[in-house]
Amino acid sequence: MHIKSLVVALAAAVSINAWAQAPIVIKFSHVVATDTPKGQAAERFKALAEKATNGRVKVEVYPNSQLYKDKEELEALQLGAVQMLAPSLAKFGPLGVKEFEAFDLPYIFPSKMALYSVTEGPIGKGLLKKLEPKGITGLAYWDNGFKVMSANKPLHAPADFRGQKLRIQSSKVLDAQMRALGANPQVLAFSEVYQALQTGVVDGTENPPSNMFTQKMHEVQKHVTLSNHGYLGYAVIVNKKFWDGLPADIRTSLEKAMAEATTFEKAIAQRDNDLALEAIRKTGKTAIYTLTAAEQAEWRKVLLPVQKQMESRIGAELIGSINKTAAAAK
């Protein structure tokens, strides 16, 4: 009987030890392809995190809306169904943190240097802090890049947009942007855009070239305009309760892995957009047009008033601070 009790106790100890050694699983869900800058950075973070924690953490990456679509993923994170996301910054407006929609404002970032002076400075850190009451911890900003316009007709002047149905993310700023151009904005999940373009549900859209190419949108869009009118970026976020509950040494290792993955992501984002644009050009299916200085000035004239229009929603002080910080970094 004594031996039997000992065996049971040993078995229990082995079981507890095995449970203690079970890796912490981080489900990292996103909506774009693996070969985009975000997709590659997610894979890089997985490798770095698993190595830095000696396998105590296992990162499962789910690309291409495999688990959740645009509208579903933030709720899934808040509920703890996934632990990590990298949603576009426009997604936080519908969540109630409208200040993030400043990133959608047309022509607010004249360069990447201006952008980084905002995201890596007090403004960017302050915005991430605003996510905490929603049960979310912000870890980093990731790049995609500046956006181009696409459609099945040339879009050289604002007048060309009149009556065009253009897909946007759910963002009041992007809605106002398209209306300023005379277009009819249509909110659609990213995973539904290709089919909507193919079937004529929408006439065109806006995207950085890497998203356009990896989703094959160029196959169903005859014209692209290199407008660089707006920016698309992401915030890497985690469920706050999950993050706060991690052992301190694990959290430190993951923060280091995220910093390295972020450096990598920023380095490849512009390169991938340049390569995607060249690949689109080589297919011969899509005519690529660069705005002249006069045309660009006309776009700016039509779109800059959106900043003033959105002051009551985003905050005049925040918009002013971003413009001031961006201008100083030119």
Side-chain angles (χ1 to χ4, degrees):
M1 190 71 180
H2 178 68
I3 293 174
K4 187 177 178 183
S5 297
L6 188 62
V7 169
V8 170
L10 282 169
V14 168
S15 176
I16 289 166
N17 188 51
W19 179 84
Q21 296 303 314
I24 297 164
V25 175
I26 297 177
K27 289 184 179 178
F28 189 164
S29 172
H30 64 83
V31 301
V32 298
T34 303
D35 50 353
T36 58
K38 177 162 65 173
Q40 292 174 72
E43 297 296 335
R44 176 62 67 100
F45 171 72
K46 169 185 167 68
L48 290 167
E50 291 178 352
K51 183 179 179 184
T53 60
N54 293 316
R56 287 170 66 195
V57 169
K58 182 185 178 190
V59 180
E60 298 175 354
V61 180
Y62 297 91
N64 267 327
S65 306
Q66 283 177 9
L67 291 183
Y68 301 102
K69 292 183 181 181
D70 285 340
K71 287 182 181 178
E72 304 163 345
E73 61 175 13
L74 276 168
E75 186 180 0
L77 182 89
Q78 289 174 302
L79 293 171
V82 292
Q83 288 72 45
M84 186 173 285
L85 303 173
S88 59
L89 299 168
K91 303 273 178 57
F92 299 121
L95 190 69
V97 191
K98 299 169 188 173
E99 292 89 341
F100 276 92
E101 290 185 354
F103 288 100
D104 292 336
L105 289 167
Y107 294 116
I108 199 162
F109 300 112
S111 66
K112 279 282 179 74
M113 190 182 297
L115 167 74
Y116 294 151
S117 71
V118 172
T119 55
E120 294 173 9
I123 295 174
K125 290 180 176 68
L127 287 171
L128 291 179
K129 280 278 182 194
K130 289 182 180 291
L131 296 173
E132 292 184 4
K134 306 289 182 184
I136 294 168
T137 296
L139 299 181
Y141 289 96
W142 283 0
D143 264 355
N144 192 318
F146 292 106
K147 293 182 282 191
V148 301
M149 289 283 192
S150 71
N152 284 322
K153 62 171 280 190
L155 300 174
H156 299 173
D160 298 330
F161 284 83
R162 200 161 294 131
Q164 290 283 292
K165 300 190 297 287
L166 293 189
R167 179 266 172 176
I168 59 165
Q169 298 186 72
S170 180
S171 162
K172 297 294 184 188
V173 175
L174 297 179
D175 184 276
Q177 168 195 281
M178 292 305 185
R179 291 185 192 282
L181 289 164
N184 297 323
Q186 309 285 318
V187 175
L188 281 175
F190 187 69
S191 57
E192 297 167 8
V193 178
Y194 176 88
Q195 189 176 10
L197 292 169
Q198 186 182 40
T199 56
V201 170
V202 293
D203 301 308
T205 187
E206 58 169 13
N207 260 303
S210 63
N211 273 5
M212 186 177 184
F213 181 67
T214 55
Q215 295 294 323
K216 302 187 180 350
M217 294 179 198
H218 62 287
E219 294 181 355
V220 288
Q221 296 278 265
K222 293 175 184 173
H223 296 273
V224 163
T225 301
L226 303 184
S227 49
N228 296 327
H229 61 281
Y231 170 73
L232 179 66
Y234 312 107
V236 187
I237 57 175
V238 286
N239 176 287
K240 188 176 186 300
K241 187 178 178 183
F242 167 80
W243 189 251
D244 291 347
L246 289 173
D249 63 322
I250 291 280
R251 199 163 51 241
T252 300
S253 295
L254 292 177
E255 284 169 349
K256 187 178 177 218
M258 181 55 65
E260 288 182 40
T262 299
T263 300
F264 165 78
E265 198 278 340
K266 287 178 176 175
I268 65 169
Q270 189 59 51
R271 182 204 71 190
D272 280 14
N273 278 314
D274 292 342
L275 290 172
L277 201 57
E278 189 53 36
I280 290 170
R281 186 178 273 114
K282 282 182 178 174
T283 66
K285 294 180 178 181
T286 311
I288 297 173
Y289 183 78
T290 302
L291 294 174
T292 65
E295 286 167 340
Q296 189 92 58
E298 191 182 356
W299 281 54
R300 289 176 66 86
K301 184 180 176 184
V302 168
L303 288 173
L304 277 174
V306 174
Q307 292 193 21
K308 188 75 180 167
Q309 190 183 337
M310 287 291 126
E311 281 182 356
S312 60
R313 180 177 175 82
I314 297 168
E317 189 178 340
L318 175 60
I319 293 172
S321 295
I322 290 174
N323 275 316
K324 187 178 177 182
T325 304
K330 276 186 190 178

